Amino acid sequence: MEQRAARVLVFVLAILASLAANSTAAAQSAWLPSWNEGPARQAIVKFVHATTDPTSAQFVPPAQRIATFDQDGTLWVEHPIYSQVVYCLDRVPSVVKQKPELANVEPFKTVLSSDRGAAATLATDDLLKIITVTLTGMSVDQFQAEVRSWLASATDSRWKRPHTELTYLPMQELLQYLRANGYKTYIVTGGGQDFVRVYSDQVYGIPPEQVVGTAGGTKYGYDKNGKPMLTKDPKLLLNDDQAGKPEGIHLMIGRRPYAAFGNSDGDRQMLEYTKAGDGLRLAMLVLHDDAMREYAYGPAQGLPDTKVGAFTQGLYDEAQKNGWIVISMKRDWRQIFSFTR
Amino acid sequence: MEQRAARVLVFVLAILASLAANSTAAAQSAWLPSWNEGPARQAIVKFVHATTDPTSAQFVPPAQRIATFDQDGTLWVEHPIYSQVVYCLDRVPSVVKQKPELANVEPFKTVLSSDRGAAATLATDDLLKIITVTLTGMSVDQFQAEVRSWLASATDSRWKRPHTELTYLPMQELLQYLRANGYKTYIVTGGGQDFVRVYSDQVYGIPPEQVVGTAGGTKYGYDKNGKPMLTKDPKLLLNDDQAGKPEGIHLMIGRRPYAAFGNSDGDRQMLEYTKAGDGLRLAMLVLHDDAMREYAYGPAQGLPDTKVGAFTQGLYDEAQKNGWIVISMKRDWRQIFSFTR
C-alpha cells in the first residue's frame, strides 16, 4: 500500500474508533433486551465489562475469551424428551425398512407399534439399541442429510413448531452479546456432536468446529467408486456429560473457559472447572421454573422432579456457595421464545 | 447508532473497500517471498485467487475456508528424530528421580546410561514405555509447565538452536498468506496434541483450539485442596496419523479442508480426503531433497530411505496421478529458515 493510502487508512480507522467509543454507552443498554433488570442480567454485563475493558485488572486478552454453553435445557427446550431422542425414535421406521429383520425384535417392535409417549418410557438399554442403529453405521454425509431432512419436517409436540425454533431468545441475545465483545462461543453438550453440528450455525451462529459433544469414532474408507468416505462407528470416544464436559473441553478446545452456562447436574463439573481458573470467571445455571411459558422442573426449590435435565437441590446449594448465578426463567426472562411474548 | 453516524460508517467502509481492491495486485507479489517462482508457488496463488474471488466459480465462503497442515517435516524439522521424542528422552532423568525404582529397569536404564543417539535406536515397545511415563500421569498444568521449561532450554543437535526456531520460513509465509485470505489454519499432526498446543500459537500463530493431534484422554478430579484438575491418562483417544488424520479432522473440526499440506505417507489419507471434496481443493507434499540446507530423505525419487517421515515412491506416484503438488525444498524454497539463507 502506498504511503498516502496508508495515511488515509489511519485517518479512517481513527473515525471508526471514535464512532465505536461514542456508541458504546448507548449500545450496552440495547443488548439483552429480553432480560429483565436483575442480578442475572447485572452479573453478565458486569462480567463482560470487567473482562473486556483494557484498563480493568480483570481484563482477558481476546484470544482467551472462551464461553461454553450446554445445549439441551440451556439453549433450547429439552422437555418432555430431548430432541435428539425424538429424532432417533422417528428414524426407526426407515431403519426397519432397510433391515426388515428388526421389525419383530424389541425394542424396535414397541417403537413401531406405539406412539412417541410410550416409546419415551423405554429402558436405557433399549434406548441405547435405538440410538446405535439410528446414529451409527452410515456415512457422515448420509447422516447429515438424514438430520437435515428430519429438521425440515419434524415439529415439537406442544408448540407445533420446528425444534430449531424452540431456542430461548434471552440465550440467543447472550450469545450475540458475548461474541460482540470478542468471546468465542462454544456448545458443550451431552447430545451428539455430529447431530448438533448440522444445525448449530443456522440456529445459534456457532460453527461446527465450535461444537463439543458426545462423540463416537469414525472409520476412514472408500466407497464402491474408490471415493474416500467416513463411516460413523459405534465406538464411544467422548461421553460429554458431567466429568466428560471438562475432559471434552480440554480435548477439543484446550483452554479453560472464562464463562460457562448450564442448567442441570450434568453441567456441574464444567462450571466447577471454569470457576477454578484464575481471574474473573462467570458460571450460570438456568432454572426451569416457568410452567406457564415453558416447563417447571428441578427438583431444586421444590420444583417437580424429572429424569430429563434434573437440577437438584445439591446443585442449587453448590451454586449459592460458589457464587454461581441461577437464572430464573420466570423472573429473569421477559420473553422466552422469539415467537411468543 | 444514530442515522447520521451510520451514514458516515457506510461511507468510510466504501473507502476501505476501494483501498483494499487497489492494493490487491501489489500485495499478491509481496506474499511468499521465500518461494521461488515455479509450479508450487503458482499453484498456491492460483488456488487462493480462485477460492477467494467472489466472481470466481470456485469461490469458497469464508466460514468454509479450512486449511490443515501436518507439523513434523511439513512445518518444522523432524530429522534425525522427532522433537517430541527428544523431549521424552530428555525427561527420563527427572522421571527416574521421582520414581527411583525405574533406574534399573529397561528401557530406562539404557536411556540414563547412553547418549541420545543410542536411545534413538530403541525398539517401538521400549519407546512406548518412555512415552507413557513422560507424557501421562501428571496434571495438564504440570505437563504444560514441563514442556515450556524444556522448550526454553533444549537445542537442536545440528543448528544448536531452540527447536521452535527450526520452522520452515516458506511454510510460515504460506500460513500467513492463507490467513490473510480468510483461511483458518489448523495443525493436524501425528504428534501429541497437548505437546504441540503449548507452543503452536507462539511458533505458528495457530491457537490451541486449532491443533488436532494424537490425543490421550484426561481424568477430571480434585487436588488435595479440592481444586478441580485434569490428569493426563494413558488411554489413547485418537491416533492422528494415516486414516486417523481424516478421522481426527472430522472429530475436532467437523468440516472437510479445502487445502491440506503434508510430507509423508502418514499424510496420504488427509490429502485424499481433502481432494475428494467438491470444488477446487489444494493438496501439497513437501519433499526433503536438500541435504545441504536441511536433510534429504524419501525413499521416493531415489532419495535415502528413512524411518522418520518416509515419503515413498507410491505416495509420489499417487501425487502425480491425482494432481497433488510436490514441493521440492531444493528447487522451490529460496530460503529454508529465518536464520539462514
Side-chain angles (χ1 to χ4, degrees):
Chain A
M1 207 182 292
E2 287 169 29
Q3 277 239 335
R4 212 171 67 128
R7 254 183 262 125
V8 173
L9 184 58
V10 168
F11 173 70
V12 153
L13 290 174
I15 295 178
L16 280 176
S18 129
L19 281 174
N22 288 337
S23 62
T24 300
Q28 295 296 0
S29 65
W31 291 105
L32 309 173
S34 301
W35 291 72
N36 287 316
E37 198 47 55
R41 187 182 190 284
Q42 279 161 17
I44 295 166
V45 173
K46 196 179 152 194
F47 168 81
V48 167
H49 285 188
T51 56
T52 60
D53 174 357
T55 67
S56 160
Q58 290 150 331
F59 177 74
V60 177
Q64 292 173 31
R65 293 182 198 160
I66 303 282
T68 54
F69 290 80
D70 169 58
Q71 187 198 214
D72 294 304
T74 299
L75 294 178
W76 77 352
V77 173
E78 65 185 349
H79 268 220
I81 46 173
Y82 299 118
S83 299
Q84 190 177 356
V85 174
V86 179
Y87 170 78
C88 292
L89 295 172
D90 285 356
R91 284 289 307 161
V92 167
S94 296
V95 168
V96 172
K97 214 168 167 184
Q98 287 177 315
K99 300 180 183 175
E101 68 276 17
L102 294 178
N104 293 312
V105 178
E106 290 300 353
F108 304 98
K109 198 176 162 187
T110 298
V111 174
L112 287 173
S113 64
S114 67
D115 64 12
R116 198 182 279 171
T121 65
L122 288 166
T124 307
D125 276 4
D126 284 341
L127 199 54
L128 268 178
K129 282 179 195 159
I130 291 166
I131 285 173
T132 303
V133 300
T134 54
L135 301 183
T136 69
M138 71 292 287
S139 78
V140 161
D141 292 345
Q142 178 66 24
F143 174 74
Q144 289 171 346
E146 284 165 6
V147 175
R148 261 189 219 104
S149 158
W150 179 81
L151 287 171
S153 62
T155 55
D156 169 79
S157 56
R158 175 165 163 191
W159 288 279
K160 317 292 180 203
R161 285 176 177 271
H163 294 270
T164 49
E165 289 188 23
L166 298 184
T167 168
Y168 308 128
L169 183 61
M171 296 305 283
Q172 290 278 351
E173 293 168 0
L174 176 54
L175 286 168
Q176 287 159 19
Y177 179 54
L178 287 170
R179 288 198 290 258
N181 283 283
Y183 276 88
K184 210 163 166 178
T185 53
Y186 282 82
I187 290 172
V188 177
T189 175
Q193 182 167 282
D194 282 350
F195 183 81
V196 178
R197 279 175 169 175
V198 173
Y199 58 84
S200 62
D201 202 10
Q202 172 211 329
V203 175
Y204 306 116
I206 294 178
E209 62 269 29
Q210 286 164 228
V211 175
V212 179
T214 294
T218 54
K219 285 270 179 226
Y220 182 80
Y222 306 89
D223 70 13
K224 59 183 191 293
N225 302 314
K227 195 178 167 182
M229 62 183 285
L230 290 168
T231 303
K232 283 173 70 61
D233 195 71
K235 186 184 161 197
L236 187 68
L237 290 186
L238 174 65
N239 181 6
D240 196 49
D241 195 28
Q242 305 194 28
K245 290 207 174 195
E247 292 164 6
I249 288 169
H250 178 71
L251 176 67
M252 309 283 289
I253 311 176
R255 301 188 199 252
R256 193 192 300 258
Y258 272 83
F261 305 87
N263 78 300
S264 77
D265 282 51
D267 301 310
R268 182 197 298 249
Q269 290 87 345
M270 174 168 75
L271 270 59
E272 284 176 352
Y273 178 66
T274 299
K275 288 287 275 191
D278 296 332
L280 189 63
R281 311 267 168 164
L282 180 65
M284 301 186 87
L285 288 165
V286 175
L287 183 66
H288 293 258
D289 57 359
D290 195 332
M292 286 292 288
R293 296 189 299 170
E294 201 238 12
Y295 293 100
Y297 52 96
Q301 301 299 92
L303 290 162
D305 201 357
T306 178
K307 281 185 176 174
V308 175
F311 187 139
T312 62
Q313 189 59 39
L315 180 65
Y316 193 90
D317 294 342
E318 190 171 348
Q320 298 299 111
K321 190 179 129 206
N322 298 328
W324 306 351
I325 313 289
V326 175
I327 300 164
S328 156
M329 289 180 76
K330 195 168 185 170
R331 189 189 63 221
D332 290 317
W333 289 358
R334 182 168 295 157
Q335 185 172 342
I336 307 265
F337 303 110
S338 65
F339 57 83
T340 57
R341 284 217 65 80
Chain B
M1 206 180 295
E2 288 168 29
Q3 278 239 335
R4 212 173 67 129
R7 256 184 260 128
V8 172
L9 184 58
V10 168
F11 173 69
V12 152
L13 290 174
I15 295 178
L16 279 176
S18 128
L19 280 173
N22 288 338
S23 62
T24 302
Q28 295 295 0
S29 64
W31 291 104
L32 309 173
S34 301
W35 291 74
N36 287 315
E37 198 48 57
R41 188 183 188 284
Q42 280 163 16
I44 296 166
V45 173
K46 195 177 152 194
F47 168 81
V48 167
H49 284 189
T51 56
T52 60
D53 175 356
T55 66
S56 159
Q58 290 150 331
F59 178 73
V60 177
Q64 292 173 31
R65 293 181 198 160
I66 303 281
T68 55
F69 290 81
D70 169 57
Q71 187 197 216
D72 293 305
T74 299
L75 294 178
W76 76 351
V77 173
E78 66 185 349
H79 268 219
I81 47 174
Y82 299 119
S83 299
Q84 191 177 356
V85 174
V86 179
Y87 170 78
C88 293
L89 295 172
D90 285 356
R91 283 290 306 161
V92 167
S94 296
V95 168
V96 172
K97 214 169 167 182
Q98 287 177 315
K99 300 181 184 174
E101 69 274 18
L102 294 178
N104 293 311
V105 178
E106 290 300 349
F108 304 97
K109 197 176 162 185
T110 299
V111 174
L112 287 173
S113 62
S114 66
D115 64 12
R116 196 183 278 169
T121 65
L122 287 167
T124 307
D125 276 3
D126 284 340
L127 199 53
L128 268 177
K129 283 179 195 159
I130 290 166
I131 286 173
T132 303
V133 300
T134 54
L135 300 183
T136 69
M138 71 293 287
S139 78
V140 162
D141 292 346
Q142 178 65 25
F143 175 72
Q144 288 170 346
E146 285 166 4
V147 176
R148 260 188 220 104
S149 158
W150 178 81
L151 287 171
S153 63
T155 55
D156 170 80
S157 56
R158 175 164 163 192
W159 287 278
K160 317 293 178 200
R161 285 176 177 271
H163 293 271
T164 49
E165 289 188 23
L166 298 184
T167 168
Y168 308 127
L169 183 60
M171 296 306 282
Q172 290 278 351
E173 293 169 1
L174 176 54
L175 287 168
Q176 288 160 18
Y177 179 55
L178 287 170
R179 289 197 289 259
N181 283 282
Y183 276 87
K184 210 164 167 178
T185 52
Y186 282 81
I187 290 172
V188 177
T189 175
Q193 182 168 281
D194 282 349
F195 183 81
V196 178
R197 279 174 169 176
V198 173
Y199 58 83
S200 62
D201 202 9
Q202 171 211 329
V203 176
Y204 306 116
I206 294 178
E209 62 268 29
Q210 286 165 225
V211 174
V212 180
T214 294
T218 54
K219 286 271 180 228
Y220 182 78
Y222 306 87
D223 70 12
K224 59 182 190 294
N225 302 315
K227 195 178 167 181
M229 62 183 286
L230 290 168
T231 303
K232 284 173 69 61
D233 196 71
K235 186 183 162 197
L236 187 69
L237 290 186
L238 173 66
N239 181 6
D240 197 49
D241 194 29
Q242 305 194 28
K245 290 208 173 196
E247 292 163 7
I249 288 169
H250 178 71
L251 176 67
M252 309 282 291
I253 312 176
R255 304 189 197 250
R256 195 192 299 257
Y258 272 83
F261 305 87
N263 78 299
S264 77
D265 282 51
D267 302 309
R268 182 198 300 252
Q269 290 85 348
M270 174 168 76
L271 269 60
E272 284 175 353
Y273 178 65
T274 299
K275 288 288 274 190
D278 297 333
L280 189 64
R281 312 265 168 165
L282 180 65
M284 299 186 88
L285 287 165
V286 175
L287 183 67
H288 293 258
D289 57 359
D290 195 332
M292 285 293 288
R293 295 190 299 170
E294 201 239 13
Y295 293 101
Y297 52 95
Q301 301 299 91
L303 290 162
D305 201 357
T306 179
K307 281 185 176 173
V308 175
F311 186 139
T312 62
Q313 190 60 38
L315 179 65
Y316 193 91
D317 295 341
E318 190 172 348
Q320 298 298 112
K321 190 179 129 207
N322 297 328
W324 306 351
I325 313 289
V326 175
I327 300 165
S328 156
M329 290 181 76
K330 195 168 185 171
R331 190 188 63 220
D332 291 315
W333 289 358
R334 182 169 298 158
Q335 185 172 344
I336 306 267
F337 303 111
S338 65
F339 57 84
T340 57
R341 284 216 64 82

Short mmCIF file of all heavy atoms in Angstrom, two decimals, chain B residues 85-110:
data_model
loop_
_atom_site.label_atom_id
_atom_site.label_comp_id
_atom_site.label_asym_id
_atom_site.label_seq_id
_atom_site.Cartn_x
_atom_site.Cartn_y
_atom_site.Cartn_z
N VAL B 85 10.04 -36.77 20.63
CA VAL B 85 10.76 -37.94 21.14
C VAL B 85 12.00 -37.47 21.92
O VAL B 85 12.33 -38.01 22.97
CB VAL B 85 11.14 -38.91 19.99
CG1 VAL B 85 12.02 -40.05 20.52
CG2 VAL B 85 9.88 -39.46 19.34
N VAL B 86 12.66 -36.43 21.41
CA VAL B 86 13.79 -35.85 22.15
C VAL B 86 13.30 -35.38 23.52
O VAL B 86 13.94 -35.63 24.54
CB VAL B 86 14.41 -34.66 21.37
CG1 VAL B 86 15.56 -34.04 22.18
CG2 VAL B 86 14.90 -35.10 20.00
N TYR B 87 12.15 -34.72 23.53
CA TYR B 87 11.57 -34.27 24.80
C TYR B 87 11.39 -35.44 25.77
O TYR B 87 11.80 -35.38 26.93
CB TYR B 87 10.21 -33.59 24.56
CG TYR B 87 9.45 -33.32 25.84
CD1 TYR B 87 9.80 -32.25 26.67
CD2 TYR B 87 8.42 -34.15 26.25
CE1 TYR B 87 9.13 -32.00 27.85
CE2 TYR B 87 7.73 -33.92 27.44
CZ TYR B 87 8.09 -32.85 28.24
OH TYR B 87 7.43 -32.63 29.42
N CYS B 88 10.78 -36.54 25.27
CA CYS B 88 10.52 -37.69 26.14
C CYS B 88 11.83 -38.27 26.70
O CYS B 88 11.93 -38.59 27.88
CB CYS B 88 9.75 -38.77 25.37
SG CYS B 88 8.08 -38.28 24.94
N LEU B 89 12.84 -38.38 25.82
CA LEU B 89 14.14 -38.92 26.28
C LEU B 89 14.77 -37.98 27.31
O LEU B 89 15.29 -38.41 28.33
CB LEU B 89 15.07 -39.13 25.08
CG LEU B 89 14.61 -40.19 24.08
CD1 LEU B 89 15.51 -40.19 22.84
CD2 LEU B 89 14.59 -41.58 24.72
N ASP B 90 14.71 -36.69 27.03
CA ASP B 90 15.29 -35.70 27.96
C ASP B 90 14.59 -35.70 29.32
O ASP B 90 15.17 -35.31 30.33
CB ASP B 90 15.19 -34.28 27.35
CG ASP B 90 16.22 -34.05 26.25
OD1 ASP B 90 17.05 -34.96 26.01
OD2 ASP B 90 16.19 -32.97 25.63
N ARG B 91 13.32 -36.10 29.34
CA ARG B 91 12.56 -36.09 30.59
C ARG B 91 12.88 -37.29 31.47
O ARG B 91 12.55 -37.30 32.66
CB ARG B 91 11.05 -36.10 30.30
CG ARG B 91 10.46 -34.79 29.85
CD ARG B 91 10.40 -33.74 30.95
NE ARG B 91 9.71 -34.19 32.15
CZ ARG B 91 9.83 -33.63 33.33
NH1 ARG B 91 10.62 -32.59 33.49
NH2 ARG B 91 9.18 -34.10 34.38
N VAL B 92 13.50 -38.35 30.91
CA VAL B 92 13.69 -39.60 31.66
C VAL B 92 14.42 -39.38 33.00
O VAL B 92 13.96 -39.88 34.03
CB VAL B 92 14.37 -40.69 30.79
CG1 VAL B 92 14.86 -41.86 31.63
CG2 VAL B 92 13.39 -41.17 29.71
N PRO B 93 15.55 -38.63 33.05
CA PRO B 93 16.21 -38.46 34.35
C PRO B 93 15.28 -37.88 35.42
O PRO B 93 15.28 -38.36 36.57
CB PRO B 93 17.35 -37.49 34.03
CG PRO B 93 17.64 -37.71 32.59
CD PRO B 93 16.32 -38.01 31.96
N SER B 94 14.45 -36.89 35.08
CA SER B 94 13.53 -36.31 36.06
C SER B 94 12.51 -37.33 36.54
O SER B 94 12.19 -37.38 37.73
CB SER B 94 12.77 -35.13 35.45
OG SER B 94 13.65 -34.10 35.13
N VAL B 95 12.00 -38.13 35.58
CA VAL B 95 11.00 -39.13 35.95
C VAL B 95 11.62 -40.17 36.90
O VAL B 95 11.01 -40.56 37.89
CB VAL B 95 10.42 -39.80 34.69
CG1 VAL B 95 9.60 -41.02 35.05
CG2 VAL B 95 9.56 -38.81 33.90
N VAL B 96 12.84 -40.59 36.58
CA VAL B 96 13.50 -41.61 37.40
C VAL B 96 13.81 -41.05 38.80
O VAL B 96 13.75 -41.78 39.80
CB VAL B 96 14.78 -42.14 36.72
CG1 VAL B 96 15.58 -43.04 37.65
CG2 VAL B 96 14.41 -42.89 35.44
N LYS B 97 14.09 -39.77 38.87
CA LYS B 97 14.32 -39.13 40.17
C LYS B 97 13.07 -39.26 41.05
O LYS B 97 13.16 -39.51 42.25
CB LYS B 97 14.65 -37.65 39.95
CG LYS B 97 15.65 -37.08 40.96
CD LYS B 97 16.12 -35.72 40.50
CE LYS B 97 16.85 -34.98 41.61
NZ LYS B 97 17.26 -33.64 41.16
N GLN B 98 11.91 -39.08 40.42
CA GLN B 98 10.65 -39.20 41.16
C GLN B 98 10.26 -40.65 41.42
O GLN B 98 9.55 -40.95 42.37
CB GLN B 98 9.51 -38.51 40.39
CG GLN B 98 9.60 -36.98 40.42
CD GLN B 98 8.50 -36.36 39.58
OE1 GLN B 98 8.24 -36.80 38.46
NE2 GLN B 98 7.86 -35.33 40.12
N LYS B 99 10.69 -41.55 40.51
CA LYS B 99 10.37 -42.98 40.65
C LYS B 99 11.67 -43.77 40.57
O LYS B 99 11.97 -44.40 39.53
CB LYS B 99 9.42 -43.43 39.53
CG LYS B 99 8.08 -42.70 39.51
CD LYS B 99 7.20 -43.24 38.38
CE LYS B 99 5.90 -42.45 38.28
NZ LYS B 99 5.08 -42.83 37.13
N PRO B 100 12.47 -43.78 41.66
CA PRO B 100 13.81 -44.38 41.61
C PRO B 100 13.80 -45.86 41.21
O PRO B 100 14.80 -46.37 40.71
CB PRO B 100 14.33 -44.21 43.05
CG PRO B 100 13.46 -43.15 43.65
CD PRO B 100 12.14 -43.25 42.98
N GLU B 101 12.66 -46.54 41.42
CA GLU B 101 12.58 -47.96 41.07
C GLU B 101 12.76 -48.21 39.57
O GLU B 101 13.04 -49.33 39.15
CB GLU B 101 11.25 -48.56 41.57
CG GLU B 101 10.00 -48.07 40.84
CD GLU B 101 9.41 -46.77 41.42
OE1 GLU B 101 10.15 -46.05 42.14
OE2 GLU B 101 8.25 -46.46 41.11
N LEU B 102 12.64 -47.16 38.75
CA LEU B 102 12.80 -47.33 37.30
C LEU B 102 14.28 -47.35 36.87
O LEU B 102 14.60 -47.77 35.76
CB LEU B 102 12.08 -46.21 36.54
CG LEU B 102 10.54 -46.16 36.64
CD1 LEU B 102 10.00 -44.96 35.88
CD2 LEU B 102 9.92 -47.45 36.10
N ALA B 103 15.17 -46.90 37.74
CA ALA B 103 16.58 -46.70 37.35
C ALA B 103 17.24 -47.98 36.83
O ALA B 103 18.07 -47.93 35.93
CB ALA B 103 17.37 -46.15 38.54
N ASN B 104 16.85 -49.13 37.38
CA ASN B 104 17.47 -50.38 36.94
C ASN B 104 16.57 -51.21 36.04
O ASN B 104 16.80 -52.39 35.84
CB ASN B 104 17.89 -51.19 38.17
CG ASN B 104 19.02 -50.49 38.91
OD1 ASN B 104 20.00 -50.08 38.29
ND2 ASN B 104 18.85 -50.29 40.21
N VAL B 105 15.52 -50.60 35.54
CA VAL B 105 14.58 -51.30 34.66
C VAL B 105 14.78 -50.79 33.23
O VAL B 105 14.96 -49.59 33.01
CB VAL B 105 13.13 -51.01 35.13
CG1 VAL B 105 12.12 -51.69 34.22
CG2 VAL B 105 12.94 -51.43 36.59
N GLU B 106 14.77 -51.73 32.26
CA GLU B 106 14.80 -51.31 30.86
C GLU B 106 13.44 -50.78 30.43
O GLU B 106 12.44 -51.24 30.95
CB GLU B 106 15.22 -52.49 29.97
CG GLU B 106 16.66 -52.91 30.14
CD GLU B 106 17.68 -51.82 29.81
OE1 GLU B 106 17.29 -50.77 29.25
OE2 GLU B 106 18.85 -52.00 30.13
N PRO B 107 13.38 -49.85 29.53
CA PRO B 107 14.46 -49.22 28.77
C PRO B 107 15.08 -48.01 29.48
O PRO B 107 15.97 -47.37 28.93
CB PRO B 107 13.75 -48.76 27.50
CG PRO B 107 12.38 -48.38 27.99
CD PRO B 107 12.06 -49.35 29.10
N PHE B 108 14.63 -47.73 30.71
CA PHE B 108 15.08 -46.50 31.38
C PHE B 108 16.58 -46.55 31.68
O PHE B 108 17.29 -45.56 31.57
CB PHE B 108 14.25 -46.27 32.64
CG PHE B 108 12.77 -46.23 32.33
CD1 PHE B 108 11.97 -47.35 32.50
CD2 PHE B 108 12.20 -45.08 31.79
CE1 PHE B 108 10.62 -47.32 32.16
CE2 PHE B 108 10.85 -45.05 31.45
CZ PHE B 108 10.06 -46.17 31.63
N LYS B 109 17.05 -47.74 32.03
CA LYS B 109 18.48 -47.93 32.33
C LYS B 109 19.33 -47.51 31.13
O LYS B 109 20.30 -46.76 31.27
CB LYS B 109 18.70 -49.42 32.67
CG LYS B 109 19.99 -49.73 33.38
CD LYS B 109 20.03 -51.21 33.73
CE LYS B 109 21.46 -51.64 34.03
NZ LYS B 109 21.53 -53.11 34.25
N THR B 110 18.96 -48.01 29.96
CA THR B 110 19.70 -47.68 28.74
C THR B 110 19.69 -46.18 28.46
O THR B 110 20.72 -45.57 28.15
CB THR B 110 19.08 -48.41 27.52
OG1 THR B 110 19.18 -49.80 27.75
CG2 THR B 110 19.78 -48.03 26.22
#
